[in-house]
Amino acid sequence: MNSIRVILGDQLSPSISSLKGYNPDTDIILMCEVWHEATYVKHHKKKIAFLFSAMRHFAEVLKHQGYNVKYTSLDALNNSGSFSGEVKRMLSKYDLNRIVVTHPGEYRVLAELQDLEDELNIPVEIREDDRFLCSSARFARWAEDRKQLRMEYFYREMRKTYNILMDGNAPIGGQWNYDTENRKPAKEDLTIPPPYIGKIDGITQDVILLVSERFGAHFGNVEPFYFAVTRADALKVLAQFIEQRLPNFGDYQDAMIQGEPWMYHSHISFYLNCGLLLPLECVKAAETSYHQGKVPLNAVEGFIRQIIGWREYVRGIYWLKMPEYADQNYFEANRTLPDFYWSANTKMNCLRQCVLETKQNAYAHHIQRLMVLGNFALLAGIDPKEVNEWFLIVYADAYEWVELPNVSGMILFADGGYLASKPYAAGGNYINKMSNYCKNCTYKVRKKSGSDACPFNYLYWDFLDRNRKKLAGNHRIGMMYKTLERMSEEKQKAIRDDSKKFLSSII
């Protein structure tokens, strides 16, 4: 069959399943930059520039390898503006009778592909995305008959399946998880290596100019631009992380320091999620470093758990529960996202720093996302749809399959505990312990009430109070309700009054 083989913007892997069986005499490869994909939410400028540049570089690699690539740039005169439109345009120009594509990462794209088959009366072959280590079907079998899913048990099964950090049937070191060793607070005297900064070639410079001209109203800064945009450079990022950052990653993965957005994190999620890196090669590189005695066990285990545990787990939940999962709102939260998530115009220094770094880098590490930006959205009762859209917009590694379960499940507990066993709610003390943000804040983290008290303090108790009926029976936070009940009526009233006043001020 003469096939149009579609490569989506997050499928930039030479081994992608849609390329298998390619016939140079009959098949063409379609890659396209389309307005709809760049604007269905107003993606961060740097995110668009990164993906367009990576796509263009990947297309050049395929052409060099002999593939017949038809690439439509955003500013091409004949660009139809949509993915479906570009497929139709290719079908009208060439004698093609089949569409081949690797399973997309977003439900809406899958629906679009399925509609194409009906509309065009042409077979659409949607192949398994075998870059992931657990197929959707396998995850569904694992999840079957479980009332609640817990990542830890899934993670252990993945370790066994791929023989990672294993000593026979037992985990190396005698335990599966070293998370309790990975919570050291920030120290001022840490020597943090600089992040990888890629070279800007002509392709990337053209893309930066295009994004500046066409997406000026979008959030974020496109420059300085530092992303790797080729597989070769993404491998350099991985190697630099393994050598320079992984040894300290375990200890300080939860730490936050003002002016240090990158810390000891890997910064490879950009490349994993668009296909320039593959998960198993990243895991094996880290495991090898451990066996060579270069990296402590708590660091390598924590890193590997993020990839074969959490990353695979949230994807499994996404495809298991969509499309209903996108509408989950367990707490019936309906508050509008505050403007300071875009402007950083807030006196809360932790939020200000995280928003400013997000605007600059299209990146924030997982504790900033979960325990600062996400924690505030949870405590304040922000509408999950608005929070999900914000996270999808602002981060260059965000695709709905990974963003939605993390936000609705982990951050907002909007699924009522299907993904996480408790809401990850915290007061100001947690942020003060794990960062130095509070030292430069207008509010006083040690004050529990009043106009100059840290808003996280009273918002935390207000969140528990107003959601008592839904959370009081949760065994992991039962002690907090006992503490709340011991508070005087006067103190409880102060919590409600301070919360109401603050939340009214951010509308």
Side-chain angles (χ1 to χ4, degrees):
M1 299 180 75
N2 300 351
S3 302
I4 175 172
R5 297 172 179 268
V6 181
I7 306 292
L8 303 176
D10 59 349
Q11 299 178 348
L12 309 183
S13 303
S15 59
I16 197 73
S17 60
S18 54
L19 290 178
K20 292 174 182 176
Y22 168 81
N23 186 333
D25 296 324
T26 60
D27 299 350
I28 68 167
I29 308 298
L30 172 64
M31 297 182 66
C32 49
E33 304 164 7
V34 291
W35 186 258
H36 178 261
E37 288 301 309
T39 59
Y40 74 93
V41 296
K42 296 177 71 171
H43 296 288
H44 194 297
K45 294 187 189 78
K46 198 169 257 132
K47 180 180 184 179
I48 299 172
F50 162 59
L51 288 173
F52 281 4
S53 180
M55 288 170 64
R56 292 185 185 192
H57 281 91
F58 184 65
E60 291 302 309
V61 169
L62 291 181
K63 289 176 184 177
H64 183 72
Q65 293 175 348
Y67 289 94
N68 181 15
V69 179
K70 305 301 179 184
Y71 193 97
T72 308
S73 62
L74 188 79
D75 52 358
L77 293 177
N78 56 359
N79 191 326
S80 65
S82 72
F83 163 71
S84 297
E86 286 307 289
V87 171
K88 293 172 187 176
R89 192 166 65 83
M90 291 297 118
L91 291 174
S92 69
K93 290 181 64 175
Y94 301 98
D95 181 21
L96 301 164
N97 50 31
R98 181 178 65 155
I99 299 170
V100 178
V101 63
T102 294
H103 199 288
E106 299 192 347
Y107 184 86
R108 64 179 183 85
V109 180
L110 177 62
E112 189 174 355
L113 286 168
Q114 292 168 336
D115 288 345
L116 266 181
E117 184 167 42
D118 295 335
E119 179 183 351
L120 301 176
N121 195 28
I122 183 174
V124 177
E125 182 182 336
I126 301 175
R127 296 181 173 179
E128 182 75 37
D129 190 344
D130 53 14
R131 295 174 300 171
F132 289 92
L133 305 179
C134 181
S135 69
S136 299
R138 179 182 172 184
F139 187 88
R141 289 194 297 272
W142 175 82
E144 191 175 8
D145 298 328
R146 296 174 189 255
K147 291 182 179 180
Q148 288 185 318
L149 307 187
R150 291 293 169 257
M151 190 278 290
E152 179 65 25
Y153 303 118
F154 171 77
Y155 164 60
R156 293 179 187 184
E157 185 171 308
M158 294 296 287
R159 286 265 297 269
K160 293 175 184 177
T161 298
Y162 287 93
N163 193 30
I164 295 167
L165 291 179
M166 296 296 294
D167 182 8
N169 292 322
I172 286 177
Q175 62 189 71
W176 292 101
N177 187 315
Y178 291 85
D179 195 42
T180 55
E181 297 181 21
N182 295 344
R183 300 171 184 171
K184 290 185 179 179
K187 297 195 303 185
E188 299 287 353
D189 60 347
L190 292 176
T191 302
I192 301 170
Y196 177 88
I197 298 177
K199 294 181 179 179
I200 298 178
D201 61 10
I203 291 176
T204 300
Q205 191 59 59
D206 288 344
V207 168
I208 289 173
L209 181 61
L210 174 72
V211 171
S212 299
E213 291 176 347
R214 298 291 185 94
F215 302 98
H218 284 219
F219 177 75
N221 304 323
V222 69
E223 294 183 291
F225 189 88
Y226 43 77
F227 287 120
V229 291
T230 65
R231 172 165 167 77
D233 283 348
L235 286 167
K236 292 178 184 177
V237 179
L238 174 62
Q240 181 174 301
F241 164 66
I242 298 293
E243 179 183 351
Q244 299 180 10
R245 311 177 98 87
L246 182 56
N248 288 308
F249 167 74
D251 289 350
Y252 299 109
Q253 66 175 284
D254 287 5
M256 300 174 283
I257 297 178
Q258 186 166 326
E260 293 286 355
W262 305 103
M263 294 299 293
Y264 293 102
H265 293 269
S266 67
H267 323 141
I268 64 168
S269 55
F270 312 117
Y271 315 118
L272 274 172
N273 292 355
C274 78
L276 294 180
L277 292 177
L278 300 175
L280 202 56
E281 69 184 342
C282 298
V283 167
K284 290 297 185 182
E287 186 181 31
T288 297
S289 187
Y290 165 74
H291 286 304
Q292 292 173 344
K294 297 177 181 179
V295 178
L297 183 56
N298 70 306
V300 72
E301 186 278 319
F303 172 69
I304 286 173
R305 179 163 21 97
Q306 287 188 347
I307 296 179
I308 70 168
W310 192 252
R311 184 174 185 268
E312 298 282 336
Y313 176 70
V314 297
R315 178 180 182 261
I317 286 179
Y318 177 82
W319 287 110
L320 186 66
K321 290 297 183 179
M322 283 297 283
E324 295 82 9
Y325 201 80
D327 296 321
Q328 298 292 297
N329 189 356
Y330 182 66
F331 295 126
E332 300 176 42
N334 57 13
R335 190 173 296 278
T336 298
L337 188 77
D339 182 68
F340 60 68
Y341 272 77
W342 307 106
S343 68
N345 184 20
T346 173
K347 293 188 292 184
M348 301 176 72
N349 188 50
C350 57
L351 282 164
R352 174 177 167 79
Q353 295 305 317
C354 292
V355 172
L356 285 174
E357 291 174 2
T358 294
K359 182 178 181 181
Q360 174 74 0
N361 302 318
Y363 171 81
H365 68 69
H366 70 277
I367 294 299
Q368 292 174 307
R369 299 189 201 195
L370 174 64
M371 299 308 299
V372 179
L373 296 158
N375 185 26
F376 183 86
L378 171 67
L379 300 183
I382 309 301
D383 188 325
K385 286 192 178 294
E386 294 199 22
V387 182
N388 272 292
E389 182 177 71
W390 186 83
F391 272 87
L392 185 59
I393 285 172
V394 303
Y395 293 118
D397 56 1
Y399 302 86
E400 193 180 64
W401 68 264
V402 65
E403 173 275 321
L404 180 62
N406 270 294
V407 171
S408 284
M410 185 70 170
I411 290 176
L412 299 179
F413 204 73
D415 63 1
Y418 187 78
L419 183 148
S421 58
K422 74 177 183 71
Y424 278 81
N429 183 58
Y430 175 86
I431 296 171
N432 189 40
K433 176 184 176 183
M434 299 309 300
S435 79
N436 62 359
Y437 293 150
C438 299
K439 293 180 180 179
N440 298 311
C441 189
T442 300
Y443 297 105
K444 295 178 175 59
V445 70
R446 302 205 180 277
K447 287 202 66 175
K448 306 303 180 185
S449 61
S451 60
D452 59 346
C454 172
F456 275 100
N457 291 336
Y458 48 78
L459 289 175
Y460 171 76
W461 293 110
D462 186 65
F463 165 77
L464 291 179
D465 185 35
R466 69 177 185 268
N467 293 296
R468 187 188 299 261
K469 290 182 179 180
K470 293 184 176 180
L471 292 176
N474 187 304
H475 70 281
R476 293 196 65 188
I477 55 176
M479 287 297 296
M480 305 315 297
Y481 276 101
K482 292 180 180 179
T483 302
L484 180 61
E485 289 164 3
R486 288 194 297 266
M487 293 181 185
S488 66
E489 180 56 36
E490 181 182 9
K491 189 171 183 179
Q492 292 188 41
K493 184 177 183 301
I495 288 170
R496 290 190 291 269
D497 290 346
D498 286 341
S499 298
K500 183 177 180 180
K501 182 177 180 181
F502 177 81
L503 292 173
S504 296
S505 74
I506 63 171
I507 293 177

